[in-house]
Amino acid sequence: MKTTAPLLLLIEDDPQFRLLLRTTLESQDYRVLTAATGRDGLIEARNQRPNLLILDLGLPDIDGQDLIRRLRISSELPIIVLSARDQESDITQALDNGADDYLTKPFSTAELMSRIKALLRRVAKLPGGAQETFQVGELKIELTKRRVFVGEREVHLTPIEFRLLSVLVRNAGFVVTHRQLLEKVWGASYVEHSHYLRIYMGQLRHKIESDPARPRYLLTEAGVGYRLCEEEIQ
Ligand code: CA
């Protein structure tokens, strides 16, 4: 095992699933710490300084949401939450509390690996700030020049549309919740106005997507938020 490999902390109370995940992660050369309770997990997070946390939201002792809030007071530790299906509101709340991404059980190993890699990559990029130009497929966005292209064609966006798109660009590959988008684009007093988002997202898709009803770039995460894809899906 390489000592330079990223150190992952896994907080999961189900012993079989914990062992399975641990084995899977170690087979990918990650170093893995595990905790079966929120309390032990918090101690490990503080003492061992892991590079990333994988957190099951349903824990026996501490509420997963509470654990995220407590960690976020003093830590930027990247967090991927694991949640059972049909718990959309839990996922949204976890992201609003400061989690970075989520996976719904059951998920594939490949899915987990790609989320971990994406999150570690984003953290590594942070000191340099957001990239000036973002490109995926035919879509190209120049952030400081505020210009957007689809192939050779320049697309003209309104200021609100551009702000909405740039928040998604800065979080490319990651879900941004409805609340986070409303707060960042319109302001804190608009967090309940989700119809704004539907309208503006519709306009953006109309301008950017070749088939707005089947978007390739601006993806809907049902009940949670939106994700700008980082790599084009075929
Ligand atoms: Ca659990």
Side-chain angles (χ1 to χ4, degrees), residues 4-5 31 39 43-44 51 61 66 92 104 118 122 125 142-143 164-165 186 189-190 199 211 220-221 226 228:
T4 51
R31 292 180 295 144
R39 193 175 307 279
I43 293 169
E44 293 284 28
N51 300 100
D61 57 339
D66 212 31
T92 309
T104 307
R122 178 164 79 160
K125 248 195 277 187
E142 297 177 355
L143 282 176
L164 184 54
L165 185 60
W186 284 274
S189 54
Y190 288 82
I199 293 166
D211 181 358
T220 297
E221 300 266 329
Y226 295 93
L228 177 65

Side-chain angles (χ1 to χ4, degrees), residues 12-13 56 58:
E12 165 64 75
D13 58 316
D56 177 35

